[in-house]
C-alpha cells in the first residue's frame, strides 16, 4: 500500500492517522505511505535541542530516512503552519502540539485543540499525522505527565474521528484499525 492508493480523486481533505508507542514503527510507516506524494512538506513538531545528544541522534535518523525532495518545516507552531501550508503534509508528531500547549489551562487547551481540528478538517490536501500512544503504561507521578497523557488521548480521539484512514503501529507491524474496530459511542 502506498499514497497513490490513498489520495482522493475529488481533492477533499484526506487525513491518515498513524499512532503507536515508542519505537513501534509509526514514523517509518507514515513515511512509507507518503513516499510517492509529490511536493510533500514534512512538519517536525519539536524544538531542536542541540544539547540533548540522544534527541539529536533520533532527529538524524529521521532525516536520513526522508526523501531529499521533501520540504522540511521544523516548528512548534502547528496552527500557524496549517494556516500557511496548503499542500500535502506529514506531521510528526502530534505530541509536539500537546507539549507546546502543556502550560495552558483547560479552557485555553480546549480552544487550541478545537482550532487545530477545524484547520485539519478544512485541508484539501492529503495530511499524514503521526501520534504517540502513551496511556498504556504507568501513571505518571507528576501532574504535568498526567496532563500530557490525558490531552494527547483526548486529541487523538478527535483526530481519529476526522481521519479517513487510522493505523496502529505496534512492534514493527501496522494494523488498519478502521477495519477491525467500532467507534465507542460517546
Amino acid at each position: 500500500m502506498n499514497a497513490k492508493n490513498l489520495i482522493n480523486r475529488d481533492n477533499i481533505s484526506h487525513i491518515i492517522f498513524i499512532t503507536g508507542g515508542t519505537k513501534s514503527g509509526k514514523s517509518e510507516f507514515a513515511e512509507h505511505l507518503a513516499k510517492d506524494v509529490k511536493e510533500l512538506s514534512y512538519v517536525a513538531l519539536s524544538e531542536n535541542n542541540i544539547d540533548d545528544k540522544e534527541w539529536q541522534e533520533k532527529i538524524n535518523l529521521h532525516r536520513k530516512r526522508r526523501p531529499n525532495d521533501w520540504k522540511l518545516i521544523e516548528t512548534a507552531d502547528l496552527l500557524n503552519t496549517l494556516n500557511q501550508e496548503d499542500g500535502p503534509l506529514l506531521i510528526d508528531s502530534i505530541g509536539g502540539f500537546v507539549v507546546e500547549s502543556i502550560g495552558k489551562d483547560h479552557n485555553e487547551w480546549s480552544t487550541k485543540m478545537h482550532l487545530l481540528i477545524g484547520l485539519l478538517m478544512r485541508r484539501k490536501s492529503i495530511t499524514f499525522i503521526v501520534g504517540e500512544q502513551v496511556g498504556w503504561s504507568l501513571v505518571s507521578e507528576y501532574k504535568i505527565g498526567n496532563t500530557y497523557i490525558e490531552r494527547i488521548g483526548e486529541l487523538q480521539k478527535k483526530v481519529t474521528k476526522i481521519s479517513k484512514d487510522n493505523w496502529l503501529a505496534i512492534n514493527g507491524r501496522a494494523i488498519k484499525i478502521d477495519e477491525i474496530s467500532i467507534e465507542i459511542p460517546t
Side-chain angles (χ1 to χ4, degrees):
M1 171 169 281
N2 61 43
K4 287 179 185 174
N5 303 84
L6 300 171
I7 297 172
N8 255 347
R9 280 185 243 164
D10 57 359
N11 200 26
I12 64 170
S13 179
H14 193 116
I15 298 169
I16 300 166
F17 184 44
I18 303 99
T19 186
T22 303
K23 295 290 188 184
S24 63
K26 62 191 176 292
S27 293
E28 293 94 336
F29 188 63
E31 292 160 4
H32 168 75
L33 291 175
K35 70 182 177 197
D36 295 326
V37 175
K38 302 293 183 218
E39 299 180 24
L40 182 114
S41 294
Y42 180 97
V43 181
L45 278 183
S46 71
E47 296 291 327
N48 191 359
N49 183 353
I50 58 173
D51 296 327
D52 187 339
K53 291 188 187 315
E54 288 180 24
W55 186 246
Q56 289 303 310
E57 288 175 20
K58 186 174 183 174
I59 288 172
N60 287 335
L61 284 173
H62 278 246
R63 284 181 179 150
K64 287 177 185 174
R65 285 196 317 250
R66 290 193 299 261
N68 292 331
D69 63 333
W70 285 4
K71 174 183 170 186
L72 173 62
I73 301 169
E74 291 178 322
T75 184
D77 189 353
L78 181 56
L79 297 178
N80 189 46
T81 301
L82 289 172
N83 276 318
Q84 292 179 358
E85 300 290 325
D86 58 359
L89 295 178
L90 191 161
I91 301 166
D92 193 359
S93 73
I94 202 72
F97 178 78
V98 176
V99 168
E100 188 270 330
S101 303
I102 202 74
K104 308 263 186 237
D105 69 26
H106 176 74
N107 289 334
E108 290 175 296
W109 159 250
S110 185
T111 299
K112 283 190 78 169
M113 179 180 58
H114 287 97
L115 181 57
L116 172 65
I117 295 299
L119 288 169
L120 289 170
M121 288 174 62
R122 285 190 290 279
R123 288 190 49 76
K124 300 292 184 210
S125 295
I126 193 165
T127 306
F128 300 88
I129 302 173
V130 176
E132 40 282 275
Q133 286 295 324
V134 295
W136 293 1
S137 61
L138 300 173
V139 174
S140 176
E141 63 183 287
Y142 301 102
K143 182 178 180 183
I144 195 168
N146 288 318
T147 298
Y148 177 82
I149 290 166
E150 289 171 8
R151 288 182 178 179
I152 195 144
E154 179 183 24
L155 174 59
Q156 291 189 149
K157 279 197 319 192
K158 292 184 183 310
V159 170
T160 297
K161 285 185 179 196
I162 65 169
S163 297
K164 299 217 177 179
D165 294 305
N166 291 282
W167 294 87
L168 174 64
I170 185 167
N171 302 334
R173 307 282 298 182
I175 303 166
K176 190 167 185 183
I177 59 177
D178 302 308
E179 295 177 354
I180 60 169
S181 66
I182 62 167
E183 185 174 337
I184 297 171
T186 54

